[in-house]
Amino acid sequence: MQLTHGLYEAFLAVARSGSFTSAARSLGYTQSAVSRQVRSLEEEWGAELFERLPRGVRLTEAGRVLLPHAEAVRDRLAAARAELTALRALDGGTLRLGAFSSATAALVPRAQAAFRKRHPGVVVTRVEGPSAKHLGLVAAGEEDLAVVSPAADAAPPRGVTLHHLLDEPMLVALERGHPCAGRRDVRLAELSGEEWIVGDERLEDTLLRPALAAGLRPRTGLLAHDWIAKLGAVAAGLGVTLVPALAAASVRPDVALVTIHPEDVPYRRICAAAPGAPGAAATAFLSLLRETAEELGAGKPGGTEPEAGKPGAEGPRGGVPEAGKPGAEEPRGGAPEAGKPGTRGA
């Protein structure tokens, strides 16, 4: 049964006014057009809805039964129209956002704060997790937008478009008393004899993958799956590890962060994953992610440089390499996340 809003609109107008002529006048239609619409509705329901009187009309029993349902249809359509208008104007609705953990240290929260300021009526829900998980959720229509670190040699799921945001450099985390802790930068070859603390036995699935491709053969004996344990081991002098630049501000103060020499520094690609036809809220948030990524890549306050006064920070000469340079490969299935307990990294 195909019932249109126009038929209900005509039915309600006639029921309200008790006259086809008055209903036509209020709707801006001809009387014959209103009569045809009511007749179509009666044919659809198989019942007379109005009793035709010498002067005007009145509802039949069937018409009285249909009336509250027609009013409900009118009200629901009006609510839908208002919500859709709010979506287009970004005055309402919900944006379902996903991100891997270290992206939530600087990139995502800065973009989200700017989005909230511009569009306070839009509710943003955010879930953290591995990049591969978020790519699947976007593909399934369960997330509207996700910040991910996809593998360079893997295509996104069908229906998902990747928008490049920046290439994030890695830093090396050292014990404060380490001989290289106060250096402007360090070559990875100088750390070849160090014990590397990693988050996975398979090094190709860690932040070390680009360095492995460049020839680094690290000595690994300490496996730590979460960042509290990993950085605790570094602080105790048990080894060294890689830290993503976006997570630098969250590193504990008794760990020194040192820039890796430009010829050695590993990068990982960070992208926004969106459906082929993103909604208005996702499009607006993506624009803010791009702006924020550009700011972070330019080394502006709150960006990817170590904070002044932190171990390993050298000021302008010893800052982190700019994000946005050509990146190296990431582990297949998405680069490991950093910056929160329970996530794996180098």
Side-chain angles (χ1 to χ4, degrees):
M1 183 180 295
Q2 297 181 351
L3 303 176
T4 67
H5 173 53
L7 300 185
Y8 284 117
E9 186 179 42
F11 168 74
L12 290 171
V14 174
R16 182 171 56 248
S17 65
S19 164
F20 283 99
T21 301
S22 298
R25 188 181 303 115
S26 66
L27 295 173
Y29 300 156
T30 63
Q31 179 179 338
S32 59
V34 172
S35 296
R36 285 195 301 270
Q37 288 177 309
V38 170
R39 177 57 63 187
S40 295
L41 194 59
E42 290 175 327
E43 290 174 357
E44 289 284 358
W45 287 110
E48 293 286 335
L49 300 176
F50 292 102
E51 182 182 354
R52 276 69 173 174
L53 304 173
R55 298 186 64 178
V57 295
R58 65 186 175 196
L59 288 168
T60 63
E61 182 178 7
R64 292 192 296 272
V65 169
L66 182 61
L67 181 62
H69 299 288
E71 290 172 335
V73 169
R74 175 199 61 198
D75 295 343
R76 291 296 298 271
L77 288 175
R81 187 179 300 109
E83 289 183 21
L84 290 173
T85 299
L87 281 179
R88 288 191 294 269
L90 293 178
D91 291 330
T94 299
L95 174 65
R96 301 167 299 171
L97 180 66
F100 66 92
S101 61
S102 62
T104 64
L107 174 61
V108 173
R110 287 180 58 174
Q112 188 172 347
F115 184 86
R116 177 184 291 179
K117 185 176 181 180
R118 296 186 189 185
H119 310 294
V122 180
V123 176
V124 178
T125 62
R126 194 176 80 195
V127 176
E128 294 179 20
S131 294
K133 170 186 174 181
H134 291 303
L135 287 168
L137 290 173
V138 173
E142 297 178 25
E143 285 184 352
D144 303 307
L145 189 68
V147 178
V148 298
S149 179
D153 54 356
R158 184 175 181 180
V160 175
T161 301
L162 294 179
H163 304 267
H164 181 264
L165 298 175
L166 74 160
D167 293 299
E168 179 187 26
M170 299 294 113
L171 309 175
V172 63
L174 308 171
E175 175 196 5
R176 289 186 65 177
H178 193 283
C180 297
R183 295 266 299 273
R184 173 182 176 179
D185 58 40
V186 63
R187 299 298 300 258
L188 289 179
E190 298 179 74
L191 303 174
S192 60
E194 300 285 346
E195 186 84 14
W196 283 83
I197 303 165
V198 296
D200 197 296
E201 294 178 353
R202 178 179 162 82
L203 297 184
E204 291 80 4
D205 292 336
T206 72
L207 297 172
L208 280 169
R209 182 181 179 185
L212 296 175
L216 178 67
R217 295 297 177 263
R219 182 164 58 91
T220 59
L222 203 162
L223 186 67
H225 292 306
D226 69 80
W227 282 87
I228 291 177
K230 185 179 295 185
L231 294 175
V234 171
L238 298 178
V240 302
T241 194
L242 291 181
V243 173
L246 290 180
S250 63
V251 171
R252 50 192 288 172
D254 56 352
V255 170
L257 292 180
V258 179
T259 301
I260 300 172
H261 190 278
E263 294 183 13
D264 296 345
V265 60
Y267 287 86
R268 68 172 174 179
R269 185 174 53 138
I270 296 180
C271 301
T283 299
F285 200 99
L286 175 58
S287 177
L288 290 171
L289 281 172
R290 287 178 169 139
E291 291 178 17
T292 304
E294 185 176 354
E295 293 172 0
L296 292 172
K300 294 183 180 180
T304 57
E305 294 194 29
E307 294 181 11
K310 272 200 151 190
E314 294 278 337
R317 294 192 343 128
V320 176
E322 288 187 6
K325 289 186 178 181
E329 292 185 349
E330 293 78 15
R332 185 179 300 274
E337 292 80 21
K340 280 212 169 186
T343 55
R344 298 184 181 184

